Amino acid sequence: CIACGATCPMTRTLHEGKAQEAKMQLRHKEGHPVHVLMRIAPLRDPHGSIVGIVESFDEQRFAAERDRNRHTLAEHGCIDDTTSIPNHEFTQFHLRKSLSSFASYHLPFGVVLIQVDRLAHFRAAYGPPASDAILRVVAQTMKNEFRPSDFVGRWADDQFLAILINCGNHGVEKTYERIRKMVTCAGLRWWSDELIVTTSVGYASIQSEDTVESILIRAQASLARASKQAIASVEVGVLASPVDSEV
């Protein structure tokens, strides 16, 4: 989704004759959004007139550190086969480790639960390969969006869990809303159909005297509220759609 119109870097280069750089967001062929740095330069004929532009794209990798560690985790059986991110067991271990660090150093963190909406529907309608592809799109989107210091892993069949290190309640709220919007920007073309992926997101920030169970209960309660709202929105959309009347 490259910007267009008067503010488009390509338009400015054509009008001003100056090289431009811009951070953009494109959709990968596999469906997840990718941040890139786009460079645009004018092409001139022998008389100095602009006859075109040349573009180059460099992917901005926000998850480089996690990518470097993934091979080590895979050797120890800590990677989920479907999504290539840490599996449930290692995610549990990391959550306990974060709680222990908070008890020792009072470093705040937040927990974000991300649930893929209607995954069972996609699996029934298009088959397990389609639902697995959706999970990979969501996982890759989150890997690209979270900071290298954060952690994201598989939590359940249709859920992921993220741990936001050194992040207070306000920061957790901002992050979960950004992730929800970014996943909505993702998508997957499955044969001739465009599968629109949405998520419901719940979150909780660490509190004094918290345990693994108590922070998860709050995050799951938040997720349940978000999921209920998503279901209500779908039902309203169905009721509002036109229905053929019988003759």
Side-chain angles (χ1 to χ4, degrees), residues 27 35 182:
R27 181 183 289 187
H35 294 277
M182 287 301 303

Side-chain angles (χ1 to χ4, degrees), residues 28 58 66 92 108 131 164 166-167 179 182 198 217 223 237 240 247:
H28 193 277
D58 290 327
R66 284 191 295 270
Q92 280 187 316
S131 63
L164 312 183
N166 197 20
C167 192
I179 295 302
M182 287 301 303
T198 62
I217 286 173
L223 175 61
V247 177

Side-chain angles (χ1 to χ4, degrees), residues 166-180:
N166 197 20
C167 192
N169 191 63
H170 180 66
V172 174
E173 289 184 18
K174 288 179 60 178
T175 300
Y176 102 86
E177 182 61 24
R178 187 183 80 247
I179 295 302
R180 186 186 63 81

Side-chain angles (χ1 to χ4, degrees), residues 35-47:
H35 294 277
V36 299
L37 178 66
M38 181 171 68
R39 297 183 175 91
I40 311 103
L43 289 176
R44 300 179 184 271
D45 63 16
H47 304 289

Side-chain angles (χ1 to χ4, degrees), residues 35 39 45 53 62 76 80 94 104 139 151-152 183 217 220:
H35 294 277
R39 297 183 175 91
D45 63 16
I53 58 173
F62 297 105
H76 293 84
D80 177 63
H94 204 88
S104 299
F151 177 92
V152 59
V183 172
I217 286 173
Q220 289 164 347

